[in-house]
Amino acid sequence: MCHEATSVGFGVGKGTVTLKDFGHVDAIVSFGHNPGTKHPRMMSTLHDAERRGVPIIVFNPLKERVLERFAAPQDPIEMVTLSSTRIASAYHQVRVGGDLAALKGIMKAVFTLDAESLIGEEPGVLDRAFISEHTTGIDASRLISKRPPGMK
């Protein structure tokens, strides 16, 4: 994959996951990723994940047909029957640049659920130990998720 986005956005000049990691996930969220045209090797991995029941949520301005349905060339049944597998559980065709707005909305919803959970004397929906050990900037993220669209 092209890692310009990870090097600029996260300060890491390469991907931080491997295709093998996809075998251990509970969900996959894809932003602006075009595996059918740019990363066809990943299609088999997404196909396998979908077959295991992993939800795959796509946010992309480009409606890539292969993310809707995919016939795996390694799957003899799909090849003989001319059938295919649905890949994206949900496909959100956002405007160009709309992925940031979608992320802010998701962040706002998660932070709201967490705050409501804490009021109800539950432990919250966020894994605070993981966040404390492995991340920085969550307070800034909370502020960013509250800003109106277009405001930096």
Side-chain angles (χ1 to χ4, degrees), residues 9-137:
F10 301 112
V12 178
K14 62 182 182 109
T16 57
V17 297
T18 66
L19 290 178
K20 193 178 203 179
D21 293 332
F22 284 81
H24 306 284
V25 300
D26 295 324
I28 297 171
V29 181
S30 174
F31 283 89
H33 178 66
N34 306 319
T37 54
K38 301 289 185 184
H39 321 292
R41 167 60 186 92
M42 186 172 208
M43 287 311 304
S44 295
T45 303
L46 293 173
H47 183 269
D48 293 344
E50 197 288 327
R51 289 277 180 99
R52 286 193 327 275
V54 174
I56 300 170
I57 301 117
V58 176
F59 293 84
N60 196 338
L62 175 65
K63 190 74 161 192
E64 205 174 28
R65 174 80 173 114
V66 73
L67 286 175
E68 295 178 298
R69 299 206 68 80
F70 176 66
Q74 300 87 357
D75 186 321
I77 294 174
E78 286 186 351
M79 291 295 99
V80 170
T81 63
L82 302 176
S83 61
S84 59
T85 298
R86 178 183 60 122
I87 298 297
S89 307
Y91 204 120
H92 304 283
Q93 195 171 5
V94 296
R95 292 183 181 160
V96 172
D99 51 353
L100 183 57
L103 275 172
K104 287 171 84 172
I106 292 167
M107 289 168 37
K108 183 176 182 177
V110 170
F111 289 141
T112 299
L113 285 171
D114 186 61
E116 290 170 355
S117 177
L118 292 172
I119 291 170
E121 297 184 18
E122 295 174 28
V125 297
L126 297 175
D127 184 340
R128 286 170 169 67
F130 179 89
I131 291 168
S132 175
E133 186 175 339
H134 300 287
T135 68
T136 60

